[in-house]
């Protein structure tokens, strides 16, 4: 059966975009930013481009490398463009905070059972924390016996069938209305005009989490959200963070959250709790000692021009207790890290070696 003109026009990337198409893409970009797939600058750039996009092809390009991208047009037309409905994402797809956290957990397991030595584990963990794509993460765990399952694309709904049914229903209702209201004058059609440049995207400001003020804000917001300050793990970067805690209805499961000024579930699933995990009360962190370490970390570790890239609060099996690992990196990827107890005592340093 030949494609209808309507189906061809929706599939054609040259088709003019509507305001609702631009708004849909902006919503997808909002979600990608919240999940850590996009940095702040890239997010703002893409939202601006979405607001000024003239065609569906331009809009598709803004979400092509994201997980769960917006769906345009009928599913039958998406096949013609070679876009799969389900299965694994391409390697170039942007990684979420949750993807990075699951990869780091796999590396921790590999270190615990002897697949990786300490130096390999440290280097690969740092790379995982900075990875931007699913391909980069997959490379890090490709040789491990236990690898985290890759994210899977959700099955696309048959939007063409839904739209067709809705259109038929509306046509029937419209025909009925026309027969009983034919004597009334037709309403004048108007198209709402949206000035996207006049309405910049609303982004919740996030504190610099690599400062003690940022940590305190994160901890206070966490306590407000959950009623306590207990985590299995927390990883804080300058603009975002992730946290893992016990599931509320089953202590053998955990739930992951992302933080950008507020907490959101990283995904809709719960996972089995890591056997090495323990309850860590963030209230036990000595903030004065942590502040001193964060401020002096680059100097202490000897990383030229280095800054704190992130720090991880978790149960460290190598020091035998919950600890904070602070990572320092510079613009040319020279890095080092140190480990301190929640009380502030520095337990181990791994300085940069020239």
């Amino acid at each position: 059966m030949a494609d209808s003109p309507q189906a061809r026009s929706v599939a054609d990337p040259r088709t003019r975009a509507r305001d609702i198409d631009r708004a849909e893409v902006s919503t997808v970009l909002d979600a990608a930013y919240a999940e850590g797939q996009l940095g702040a600058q890239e997010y703002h750039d893409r939202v601006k481009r979405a607001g000024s996009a003239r065609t569906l092809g331009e809009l598709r390009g803004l979400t092509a490398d994201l997980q769960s991208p917006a769906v345009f047009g009928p599913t039958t037309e998406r096949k013609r463009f070679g876009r799969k409905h389900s299965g694994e994402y391409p390697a170039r797809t942007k990684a979420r905070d949750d993807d990075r956290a699951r990869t780091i957990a796999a590396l921790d397991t590999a270190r615990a059972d002897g697949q990786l030595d300490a130096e390999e584990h440290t280097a690969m963990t740092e790379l995982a924390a900075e990875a931007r794509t699913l391909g980069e993460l997959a490379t890090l765990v490709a040789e491990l016996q236990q690898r985290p399952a890759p994210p899977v694309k959700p099955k696309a709904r048959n939007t063409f069938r839904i739209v067709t049914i809705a259109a038929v229903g509306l046509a029937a209702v419209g025909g009925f209305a026309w027969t009983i209201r034919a004597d009334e004058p037709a309403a004048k059609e108007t198209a709402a005009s949206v000035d996207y440049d006049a309405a910049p995207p609303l982004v919740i400001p996030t504190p610099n989490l690599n400062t003690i003020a940022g940590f305190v804000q994160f901890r206070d917001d966490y306590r407000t959200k959950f009623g306590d300050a207990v985590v299995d793990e927390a990883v804080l970067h300058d603009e975002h963070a992730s946290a893992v805690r016990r599931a509320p209805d089953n202590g053998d499961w955990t739930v992951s959250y992302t933080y950008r000024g507020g907490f959101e579930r990283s995904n809709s699933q719960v996972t089995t709790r890591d056997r090495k995990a323990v309850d860590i009360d963030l209230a036990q962190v000595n903030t004065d000692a942590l502040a001193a370490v964060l401020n002096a970390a680059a100097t202490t570790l000897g990383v030229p021009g280095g800054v704190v890239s992130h720090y991880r609060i978790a149960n460290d099996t190598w020091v035998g207790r919950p600890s904070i690992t602070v990572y320092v990196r510079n613009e040319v990827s020279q890095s080092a890290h140190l480990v301190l107890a929640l009380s502030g005592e520095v337990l181990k340093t791994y300085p940069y070696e020239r």
Side-chain angles (χ1 to χ4, degrees), residues 8 26 49 76 124 129 139 158 161 185 190 221 226-227 244 256 317 340:
R8 286 198 300 273
S26 294
R49 289 163 59 192
T76 53
M124 295 171 75
T139 299
N158 194 335
R161 182 178 180 183
T190 59
D221 289 348
F226 301 107
V244 179
S256 299
T317 56
L340 65 150

Side-chain angles (χ1 to χ4, degrees), residues 17-321:
R18 304 166 298 174
D19 287 339
I20 192 172
D21 299 321
R22 300 183 188 94
E24 182 178 1
V25 169
S26 294
T27 299
V28 173
L29 296 174
D30 290 344
Y33 176 63
E35 293 175 345
Q37 297 187 60
L38 298 175
Q41 185 60 45
E42 189 174 12
Y43 164 75
H44 284 289
D45 177 65
R46 292 197 188 195
V47 168
K48 184 175 182 180
R49 289 163 59 192
S52 60
R54 305 306 304 165
T55 67
L56 294 183
E58 294 176 61
L59 292 177
R60 289 192 186 107
L62 297 174
T63 59
D65 61 345
L66 301 179
Q67 297 186 47
S68 300
V71 178
F72 296 100
T75 55
T76 53
E77 294 302 321
R78 292 171 69 235
K79 290 181 181 179
R80 185 168 291 107
F81 282 90
R83 302 183 68 177
K84 300 178 181 179
H85 305 298
S86 60
E88 297 180 9
Y89 288 100
R92 68 178 184 277
T93 303
K94 298 287 189 179
R96 302 170 300 179
D97 290 336
D98 184 57
D99 301 321
R100 287 182 276 270
R102 289 190 298 112
T103 299
I104 290 174
L107 294 172
D108 290 344
T109 299
R111 176 68 183 101
D113 62 20
Q115 295 184 63
L116 300 175
D117 61 30
E119 185 176 351
E120 289 174 324
H121 174 261
T122 297
M124 295 171 75
T125 297
E126 292 178 358
L127 291 173
E130 299 296 328
R132 301 306 305 162
T133 67
L134 294 180
E136 294 174 39
L137 293 177
T139 299
L140 293 173
V141 297
E143 298 179 352
L144 302 184
Q145 292 189 30
Q146 295 179 328
R147 299 185 292 273
V152 177
K153 292 183 180 181
K155 292 183 178 180
R157 296 178 298 174
N158 194 335
T159 54
F160 181 60
R161 182 178 180 183
I162 295 173
V163 171
T164 301
I165 294 174
V168 171
L170 288 173
V173 174
F176 175 73
W178 177 255
T179 59
I180 63 175
R181 300 174 64 89
D183 57 331
E184 295 187 7
K188 183 178 180 180
E189 295 185 1
T190 59
S193 176
V194 180
D195 185 357
Y196 285 92
D197 289 331
L202 177 62
V203 179
I204 299 174
T206 305
N208 184 346
L209 301 177
N210 285 339
T211 65
I212 198 60
F215 170 76
V216 171
Q217 181 68 54
F218 170 84
R219 185 176 62 182
D220 290 346
D221 289 348
Y222 187 94
R223 184 182 288 110
T224 299
K225 171 72 174 181
F226 301 107
D228 59 48
V230 177
V231 300
D232 275 13
E233 177 189 53
V235 181
L236 290 83
H237 297 258
D238 56 350
E239 294 184 344
H240 66 276
S242 61
V244 179
R245 65 179 279 119
R246 289 178 185 262
D249 52 352
N250 190 327
D252 294 329
W253 294 344
T254 59
V255 184
S256 299
Y257 296 86
T258 56
Y259 174 80
R260 293 179 183 275
F263 287 91
E264 292 186 359
R265 285 278 291 269
S266 297
N267 54 53
S268 60
Q269 298 180 343
V270 295
T271 56
T272 303
R273 193 179 192 223
D274 191 322
R275 57 185 175 82
K276 303 187 301 294
V278 299
D279 291 334
I280 301 173
D281 190 349
L282 297 180
Q284 295 179 359
V285 174
N286 184 329
T287 53
D288 290 338
L290 178 59
V293 169
L294 292 176
N295 290 334
T299 302
T300 301
L301 295 171
V303 179
V307 296
V308 174
S309 61
H310 63 287
Y311 53 103
R312 176 174 179 258
I313 304 172
N315 183 40
D316 192 326
T317 56
W318 298 106
V319 299
R321 53 176 149 167

